[in-house]
Amino acid sequence: MLFNSLGFLIFFPLVTLLYFLLPHKFRWIHLLIASCIFYMAFIPVYIFILFFTIIIDYIAGIMIENSVGENRKLFLTLSIVANVGVLAFFKYYNFFITNVNTLLHSLHMTPGNIPLLSIILPIGLSFHTFQAMSYTIEVYRGNQKAERHFGIYSLYVMFYPQLVAGPIERPQNLLHQFKEEHKFDANNLLDGLRLMLWGFFKKIVIADRISQYTNTVFNHPYEYHYLNLIIAVFFFSIQIYCDFSGYSDIAIGAAKTMGFDLMINFNRPYFSKNIQEFWRKWHISLSTWFRDYLYISLGGNRKGIRRLYFNVAVVFLLSGFWHGANWTYLVWGGLHTIFIFAYMLIEKYYDIKRLSQKKVLVFISTLFTFCLVSLAWIFFRANTLGDAAIMCKHIFGLYHSNPFQLVLKNVAGAISFTKTAMLISIAMIALLFVSEKILPPDLKILNKKYAADILFCSITLSLIILLGVFNNNSFIYFQF
Amino acid sequence: MTPVKRIILSCLLAALICQASFIIVKKEIKKYQVHNTERLTELLYNKTPYDVLFIGSSRTHFDIDPEVIDSICKVNSYNGGIEGANLFEFSMMLHAYLQNHPAPQWLVLTLDLHSFTDKKFFNYAQYFSYTKNSVIEKYLNDNGYSTLRLKLFPFLEMTDYDDDTKGFIIKGLAGDSEIDKGDFQYKGYLSNTENHITSQEPVSVPAIMPMADIANKYLEDILQTCKSRNIKLVFTYAPEYKHQIQADVSNSGKILNMISNVAVKNNIPFLRDDTLSICNDPMLFANPGHLNKEGAMQYSVVLAKQINIIIQN
């Protein structure tokens, strides 16, 4: 079920209302059923994949806790293999086989192609798999007791607000909340609804509008003037932020209305002054997952400088690959590795903290970081590496064989983006940046200011109604 | 102030802002869409009797000038062509028209290659202002565009506007109108600029135009309605520049044959105006599918003579 659908408009208040009407002991059942309905609105049969990993990890958690010595490691390994196996099969099998087929063809070594699977990737697979893995790892590390209540554990993996696109929660933060009785709190309702409203604004007013521009250009990059390409690149940077952080805001807000606290996933990342800061503020739940379970496990910065660089590269390349089975994501991860390496080298020889003392330098470094991140997004969004290469070539070569289009048309000549759409987009992006500069990500600062809060909520709601694009566009991160 | 009060107050204030904006928006859209408003009001609300009614898509709207038809055929005609319409909207328009108007003597139905698709409305939002016509209200509700929510919260109509429509508001505020300088409107017709084809359109790979069974049902509904209301029917296929529209559709022959068969079976004249000599003159076309102002003038003369012969017989 999409957050920006009519179905959710009915589902959300109904689930929240029933949650508070039911006695505490039945609430987990209610939330579990609601989560199943939410997930099954996409492809119902894929719920069995979820059940499979849930059963494996539930048993693994208890076995790890009950075992000693090498057996603990064995059960953890089994759990990780099962989770990664499901991910590899559904997400990476076709990518791997396609590349093997290509390689064999180029070596003239194959009598025929190895067959590909004709399956659709289960929605949000990478998210709930990583959340499930964080549970068994934390039980193994002794930071979390194994959950004996199968229903509660299932709910930890399936909790509907964050089931398909995160935030990827840790068991220490979420599991205990299902056992606590949440009484109806109007403050939570206000905080949650306000955050949801802001999320809907980002998604429906900004992301879904500018996606019409980015989709047109990114699907046929060789057809457009370099200025159209540059606009598309910057628009995509905004689109992916508004789409994904919008989803996170709605998820966190929906959970908050029932009294659940989910972790903040974005902390105004485009105001980052350098690439390292950007990664502390972008998709925080995934960045910290890789930091806690991969980077630190590999030795972090404790095993010398060469190992540090190796660990950083592994984390970023895997992070790229986590997003999708395509070389474009790997190159995206590779580019960020290079950016981080460059930053680490500069930091070694130059006192970067001095930058923050001059406003002009802060502005320049923020803009430069945004441009670097946008450059990498080309590879993230491009359909193929070839398309990405053409875009870079045309942007940096100032390609202008095709005329610049103020009113953007697709290759068939139909209008994709009008002047009005451009005007609204620029105005709303400006409003977004100003609002994010003033307000913290959880927007709780507004609790203390009645008038400002009412004005903020009513204007945001009005803008959604007046300027929203109501075509039920899916969220970008659902595909991961 | 309690959080619940704040939520309620925010919703009320938002509703107030939206409703106030909606009043301005409606006014400016009407100001800009002076032609569309006038013709939809005439077609869906007024009761003027017409002898000849033209129904079709933009190729009716921009191609047929009732002034020429009226003067040659000595009739009172009206152009009811709707942008992007297919048989679903043709059928709706006929029923909605008959809601208030007396039945015309003749219905000239322009059929296009895309008339038989299963798409419903091309621009459903334009009909929300005309739901007092019960046919329009029924067609909207039956096809998933609830009118009840608009009765409760009129401003929600704005959620159905695309950016193009939102642009009309700005244009309306700037004092612009959809009737460009040099163009004119007359009884539903809008002249289509003096622009003409200057270069050969790039050759595209022909694609199959989907033909839905439901479209045949709408056509059958039109035939039956005309029969029951004693309306004589004429089919036309509008002029197109050097058959370029047909060249883009790989099953165009099949669609045109099907129309011919229906016409023969029901004894309906079918005017294939894509074979007229004017179809070879790029100076008469704004684009391959639509005539320009001069083209519409010349075509209307030809069409009027054809209709006149049919009426006389």
Side-chain angles (χ1 to χ4, degrees), chain A residues 4 33 72 194 197 207 214 218 225 246 277 306 358 367 384 446:
Chain A
N4 53 331
I33 293 169
R72 287 168 59 80
R194 188 196 294 124
L197 207 58
T214 55
F218 271 95
H225 189 273
E277 187 185 342
R306 278 188 189 175
K358 288 188 179 174
L367 194 66
T384 62
L446 290 166

Side-chain angles (χ1 to χ4, degrees), chain A residues 186-187 189-190 193-194 209 212 418 420-421 423-424 446-447 449-450 453-455 457-458 461-462 465-468 470, chain B residues 1 3-7 9-11 13-15 17-18 21-22 25 155-156 158-161 163-164 166-168 170:
Chain A
N187 287 306
L189 184 72
L190 177 64
L193 289 179
R194 188 196 294 124
R209 175 166 282 105
Q212 296 161 1
T418 60
T420 313
L423 204 71
I424 296 171
L446 290 166
N447 280 339
K449 300 168 182 174
Y450 299 148
D453 192 19
I454 291 167
L455 212 60
C457 291
S458 54
L461 183 55
S462 305
I465 293 169
L466 293 169
L467 302 176
F470 294 88
Chain B
M1 192 184 291
V4 174
K5 271 187 191 166
R6 263 202 253 185
I7 293 168
L9 213 60
S10 300
C11 291
L13 190 56
I17 294 170
C18 289
S21 309
F22 183 57
V25 163
F155 58 81
L156 287 181
M158 288 183 292
T159 61
D160 294 292
Y161 293 170
D163 283 342
D164 223 15
K166 283 166 189 156
F168 298 161
I170 302 168

Side-chain angles (χ1 to χ4, degrees), chain B residues 25-46 61 78-79 81-83 93 123 125-130 157 161 165 168 177-179 185 187-188 190:
Chain B
V25 163
K26 270 296 220 200
K27 194 178 140 203
E28 295 308 321
I29 287 183
K30 263 191 180 172
K31 220 160 88 185
Y32 176 77
Q33 289 195 309
V34 59
H35 168 68
N36 209 34
T37 307
E38 193 180 305
R39 68 201 304 267
L40 286 179
T41 306
E42 178 62 27
L43 286 163
L44 305 174
Y45 282 170
N46 292 352
H61 185 201
Y78 199 85
N79 185 331
I82 300 289
E83 310 295 295
M93 191 48 74
N123 175 14
Q126 67 179 327
Y127 297 115
F128 282 137
S129 303
Y130 303 94
E157 186 180 320
Y161 293 170
T165 311
F168 298 161
S177 128
E178 65 180 327
I179 304 172
Q185 60 164 338
K187 288 163 84 175
L190 179 63

Side-chain angles (χ1 to χ4, degrees), chain B residues 64-122:
Chain B
I64 302 170
D65 182 355
E67 192 174 10
V68 177
I69 305 289
D70 291 359
S71 68
I72 292 175
C73 300
K74 309 294 178 219
V75 292
N76 183 20
S77 65
Y78 199 85
N79 185 331
I82 300 289
E83 310 295 295
N86 59 8
L87 275 158
F88 167 81
E89 259 180 286
F90 298 167
S91 152
M92 180 191 77
M93 191 48 74
L94 176 61
H95 287 293
Y97 175 87
L98 292 173
Q99 183 82 6
N100 296 317
H101 295 265
Q105 291 171 40
W106 293 89
L107 171 65
V108 180
L109 186 66
T110 304
L111 293 163
D112 292 323
L113 297 179
H114 70 84
S115 298
F116 294 87
T117 58
D118 62 353
K119 283 186 183 160
K120 297 289 166 84
F121 294 101
F122 181 73

